[in-house]
Amino acid sequence: MTGTEKAAILLLYVGTEATSKVFQHMEDSEIKKISQAMANLGHVTLPVIQEVVEEFTQITNPESGFFSQGDEFVRKILEKALGPQKAEMLLQELSTSNFGDLEDILANMDPKTIANFLSQEHPQTIAVIVAKLRPKQTSEIISHLPQELQAEVVIRIADVDQVSPEILSDIDDVIRKELTAMGGIQRFKVGGVEKVVEMFNHLDRSREKRILDSLDVMNPPLAEAIRKHLFTFDDIFKLDDRTIQGIMREVSNDTLTLAIKASSEEVREKVFRNISSRAAEMIKEDIEVMGPVRLSDVEKAQTEIIKIVRKMEEEGKVVLAGRGADDVLV
């Protein structure tokens, strides 16, 4: 692996928030290389991830304590969150388990891989397994099942009410053993365009634009794919009025005022239509007396609102489809 590929794997491993903070301290040229590597990674096996993390650990200053005393760190966190008694019980459970629950294993796997694996199982078994997963992941898995199986599994999911713990345990044991035998547990979806898009959604718009402009030259298809999936500030106002009203209730007037300072009249009109008349008048007055503001401040306010929308999506309060496209639905 190249150094860029190792960096891409490590950053994908630590997650979007940490990566966005790292990107803030890097040159655009470095971010471009790593972003392109992320998009090209595809699936990375668990041993490769472990190798990259271990290499990073070895070159990290040992005095910093990074990745050191992991067990003690986990214990302290659990004791603080759960209390000493519950923390000890959970730690004992973790120490006696070879790997996590089936739901935890499947949660980190590519839906297409899961679908290919489960397609060999009885529809009732598939229904019991996917019914325990997050709705979004369940829908993705079903969409990758053979067409003749999809409706049958959906029907059986609707019929799944209560299943005895013994049956659930037996199914989990069989599926985990089969996954282990085929190496399925060791394949995680860590790369691809979707992961790059997640990173971009944590960047300020100026840097996002510079990187995309460079990608237009370096890799036009990748740039186009990223743009298609990005959710922008203007996309918020392609949603229906009721959804916009829900979003506006989560945004402070100061942030909203700054965010729409450079927006079109069409966007402003849609904002004012979906907030109270008193709040609309206050914001209009503030914009008039505000004077010139830095574009970076406007973009920061818009990014803050996008983060609010994404949090609402994670909490199930908003459902976004076709990000960045004209057919965004809720």
Side-chain angles (χ1 to χ4, degrees):
M1 290 181 292
T2 65
T4 302
E5 289 171 336
K6 291 178 183 178
I9 291 171
L10 180 65
L11 290 175
L12 287 166
Y13 174 77
V14 300
T16 55
E17 290 190 15
T19 299
S20 65
K21 292 177 181 178
V22 173
F23 276 1
Q24 291 172 8
H25 299 282
M26 298 177 69
E27 298 295 330
D28 289 350
S29 59
E30 296 171 325
I31 297 175
K32 284 183 289 187
K33 290 179 182 178
I34 293 176
S35 297
Q36 193 164 13
M38 287 177 176
N40 294 332
L41 277 176
H43 290 83
V44 181
T45 61
L46 184 58
V48 172
I49 297 174
Q50 290 173 332
E51 180 184 337
V52 171
V53 173
E54 286 172 4
E55 182 177 343
F56 176 73
T57 305
Q58 290 173 1
I59 63 175
T60 304
N61 181 1
E63 294 181 359
S64 67
F66 199 73
F67 286 129
S68 67
Q69 297 181 328
D71 291 344
E72 187 61 27
F73 177 80
V74 172
R75 179 181 292 276
K76 288 179 179 178
I77 292 296
L78 290 177
E79 286 180 350
K80 186 174 181 180
L82 307 174
Q85 188 173 359
K86 287 186 177 180
E88 185 61 32
M89 291 174 61
L90 182 56
L91 286 168
Q92 288 181 2
E93 182 180 339
L94 291 173
S95 65
T96 57
S97 176
N98 291 327
F99 38 79
D101 292 338
L102 182 61
E103 299 98 293
D104 296 331
I105 296 170
L106 296 180
N108 290 309
M109 290 180 62
D110 173 32
K112 188 174 182 179
T113 302
I114 299 172
N116 290 338
F117 170 73
L118 291 179
S119 63
Q120 306 302 316
E121 302 293 332
H122 190 280
Q124 184 66 26
T125 301
I126 300 174
V128 171
I129 292 170
V130 301
K132 298 194 295 178
L133 304 175
R134 299 188 311 274
K136 182 180 179 182
Q137 190 182 19
T138 299
S139 65
E140 291 172 346
I141 293 170
I142 290 175
S143 69
H144 289 297
L145 288 172
Q147 191 168 354
E148 63 273 14
L149 262 181
Q150 293 177 3
E152 189 171 357
V153 171
V154 170
I155 291 172
R156 290 173 184 271
I157 290 174
D159 288 337
V160 172
D161 184 10
Q162 294 182 352
V163 181
S164 71
E166 293 79 11
I167 293 177
L168 285 176
S169 179
D170 289 344
I171 291 175
D172 283 7
D173 287 344
V174 170
I175 296 298
R176 283 193 292 182
K177 287 176 182 177
E178 292 180 3
L179 282 170
T180 304
M182 64 176 284
I185 292 177
Q186 295 183 355
R187 296 186 66 81
F188 294 79
K189 185 178 181 183
V190 296
V193 172
E194 290 182 2
K195 289 293 183 179
V196 175
V197 170
E198 288 181 21
M199 304 300 170
F200 270 75
N201 284 323
H202 286 275
L203 296 174
D204 61 78
R205 293 182 66 190
S206 297
R207 179 163 292 207
E208 173 187 297
K209 184 178 184 304
R210 288 200 301 271
I211 296 172
L212 282 172
D213 288 344
S214 299
L215 285 175
D216 281 332
V217 178
M218 297 171 59
N219 191 331
L222 174 59
E224 183 180 351
I226 292 173
R227 282 196 175 92
K228 184 178 179 180
H229 289 83
L230 281 175
F231 186 83
T232 67
F233 179 73
D234 289 341
D235 285 332
I236 295 173
F237 305 99
K238 296 175 185 176
L239 303 172
D240 63 81
D241 284 352
R242 194 170 79 170
T243 302
I244 295 174
Q245 290 165 17
I247 294 170
M248 294 298 101
R249 284 195 289 270
E250 303 293 327
V251 180
S252 70
N253 281 357
D254 290 343
T255 300
L256 185 57
T257 301
L258 194 55
I260 65 172
K261 169 68 176 177
S263 295
S264 64
E265 285 301 320
E266 182 182 358
V267 168
R268 289 189 186 184
E269 182 182 341
K270 197 148 192 180
V271 169
F272 297 146
R273 189 171 73 235
N274 287 286
I275 59 178
S276 68
S277 56
R278 183 165 177 257
E281 288 303 321
M282 290 175 60
I283 291 176
K284 288 177 184 178
E285 291 176 5
D286 287 343
I287 290 176
E288 288 179 4
V289 301
M290 184 181 290
V293 295
R294 291 181 298 182
L295 180 60
S296 59
D297 291 334
V298 173
E299 291 175 346
K300 184 177 179 181
Q302 292 179 351
T303 300
E304 185 176 333
I305 295 175
I306 290 173
K307 287 181 179 179
I308 290 173
V309 175
R310 293 222 170 267
K311 184 179 180 183
M312 292 176 70
E313 182 185 23
E314 290 173 2
E315 295 172 347
K317 296 178 180 177
V318 173
V319 179
L320 306 175
R323 294 189 179 100
D326 291 333
D327 60 343
V328 176
L329 301 174
V330 172

